[in-house]
Amino acid sequence: MERANAYADAGAGAQEPLLLFEPVHATPASAGSAMRRRCADLGLALELHPRERLLDAGPESLSSAELLALLLGGEPGRALHSAGGVISRAGGLAGLRASSYHDLLHGSGLSEARAATVIAATELGKRMMSARGPKRPIISSPRDVDALLGVRMRDFDREHFVVLLLDTKNQVLGSPTVSVGTLCSSLVHPREVFKPAIKISAASVILAHNHPSGSIVPSAEDRQVTNRLAQAGKHIGIEILDHVIFGEGCLSMKERGML
């Protein structure tokens, strides 16, 4: 109930379009095995090749020297030795972060190109740490849902079922389409609705679908599906704040006392 009230009382949200999530193309599981085979074929030790280790076990598994060796480039063993020396002479990562181009060029024995590469990487890291992501729309009422989805939803000639994924502040984390139906109906299962919500750790969701006929009156099926999803949400701890129907206008089932 508190989340439902927050939906109505939250501050005015930004009315800006939100892109759908794009699928993430992960590195194939066989990539690591391929790397190991390639190193074995060349008679090389995998642990001496930071690039192969990065692809095999992920960047978090590499030491600071290995990460720096990737920036310096060249023969892996020599690059690792050079990287360790650079970090040591700089007084650790804190010292390396504070080092100037002149310090690296003359104090660490790096070439001009490699010293410039390290300085550029350090500056990029600083900027990434202070960078802020794009401002997320905030949903405070059905009008915000309409502003975010209305144009998109009314153009469909088939029923599309969309789920707005919200965090604890009602900020929109995503708006995936979980089902596309026929000209007059859309079949949706709880697992399709809550799978993206669970995956992204959403605190709550708002359901939305369109009626190609233009009517925004909830059908008996709309009410059944909404009640079924609301019950499922209670069991898994993800509350459904509303179900908005789009057609010639829009209707909030929450405002009509149907949820």
Side-chain angles (χ1 to χ4, degrees), residues 137-191:
I138 297 176
I139 302 299
S140 59
S141 72
R143 267 61 64 189
D144 293 330
V145 179
D146 188 15
L148 188 65
L149 298 177
V151 174
R152 162 182 153 197
M153 298 292 286
R154 292 186 181 98
D155 285 340
F156 296 135
D157 61 357
R158 298 174 186 274
E159 283 202 7
H160 284 59
F161 203 101
V162 173
V163 181
L164 280 181
L165 310 173
L166 307 177
D167 65 12
T168 56
K169 297 180 180 179
N170 282 5
Q171 295 183 105
V172 179
L173 302 174
S175 58
T177 299
V178 298
S179 177
V180 177
T182 63
L183 293 177
C184 59
S185 66
S186 174
L187 299 177
V188 64
H189 192 279
R191 64 172 171 266

Side-chain angles (χ1 to χ4, degrees), residues 7-25:
Y7 169 58
D9 298 337
Q15 298 183 356
E16 54 184 277
L18 184 77
L19 297 179
L20 293 177
F21 287 144
E22 296 294 336
V24 178
H25 301 288

Side-chain angles (χ1 to χ4, degrees), residues 49-51 54 59 61-97 99 104 108 110 113-122:
H49 292 263
R51 183 176 62 184
L54 184 146
S61 67
L62 272 63
S63 67
S64 299
E66 288 175 310
L67 293 171
L68 182 56
L70 282 173
L71 292 175
L72 299 180
E75 191 275 322
R78 185 174 299 176
L80 274 171
H81 179 76
S82 178
V86 169
I87 294 174
S88 177
R89 286 189 289 273
L93 292 181
L96 184 61
R97 184 177 62 240
S99 296
L104 294 177
S108 298
L110 294 178
R114 288 180 173 176
T117 296
V118 175
I119 292 297
T122 301

